[in-house]
Amino acid sequence: MRTMDAREPFHVHTRRAVWTLSALLWLIPHPVAADPFLSRLDCVSVQASVWEVGDSFGITTDVLREAIRAGLRTHAPRLKIEPGCPDRIDCKVFLQDASTDTFKGFFGHIAIEVTRKAVFQDTALLTAGRAWDLQSYVFGTRDKAKTSVLDQLNRHLAQFAADYLLANRKEDQPEESKPGNGGASAETR
């Protein structure tokens, strides 16, 4: 009986250590893989559409297009914006008036999608394929609808830019700093 009592604390501490170690492994950041569908994306054309139900919220397709252009210039300045580019970024916004006698509100949906030209391997036919997308819901008071939509759009564009830069980072590195070339950086300070 004494040997069982002596071993019991050891097993309890071992189980606690295993659980603690397992929990800590969840906190360790895992390497992020770049999205191959965004690599070598040189340009995009911009498309936008707005659907509103009820009174207008003051968001037009022109407002959305300009917000996309400004966001891309800020977050992904290397990406060219060209109207004739076959690869495109498309933003769709749906807004619904949710006002009552005591509350003036709205809810809606924002979707951004990047489509690129693609070729079917079997038939060699050209098509467009979704390369990246992000969607979210927005809601709030009616007076903040336009600001809420444009802020959420900017957050989506920041995420797109982060994924785009990750997918194209190897091309940004100078020859001297690429893996396999000594790993030394060409930049000095």
Side-chain angles (χ1 to χ4, degrees), residues 36-148:
F37 296 117
L38 295 179
S39 66
R40 293 182 282 173
L41 177 64
D42 298 324
C43 67
V44 290
S45 61
V46 175
Q47 295 184 355
S49 54
V50 179
W51 293 282
E52 294 180 334
V53 176
D55 294 333
S56 177
F57 294 92
I59 301 170
T60 65
T61 55
D62 290 335
V63 167
L64 281 181
R65 280 190 202 109
E66 188 50 43
I68 293 168
R69 287 184 192 105
L72 290 176
R73 283 191 297 267
T74 300
H75 299 297
R78 275 193 41 221
L79 186 60
K80 295 180 208 121
I81 302 168
E82 298 175 358
C85 185
D87 301 327
R88 69 178 191 263
I89 188 164
D90 189 8
C91 178
K92 296 175 184 164
V93 174
F94 168 78
L95 295 174
Q96 169 77 45
D97 188 359
S99 297
T100 65
D101 291 338
T102 58
F103 176 74
K104 303 293 180 209
F106 80 99
F107 66 90
H109 181 257
I110 300 172
I112 294 184
E113 179 179 83
V114 175
T115 55
R116 298 193 68 183
K117 60 184 180 262
V119 177
F120 284 107
Q121 288 182 340
D122 295 344
T123 61
L125 292 175
L126 193 61
T127 188
R130 182 174 44 214
W132 185 93
D133 71 327
L134 186 59
Q135 302 178 37
S136 66
Y137 293 97
V138 293
F139 59 92
T141 58
R142 186 169 175 74
D143 61 330
K144 303 277 191 238
K146 186 174 181 179
T147 304
S148 297

Side-chain angles (χ1 to χ4, degrees), residues 6-20:
R7 287 188 350 198
E8 186 64 29
F10 174 75
H11 288 290
V12 170
H13 292 300
T14 303
R15 277 189 231 125
R16 285 183 187 156
V18 167
W19 281 105
T20 303

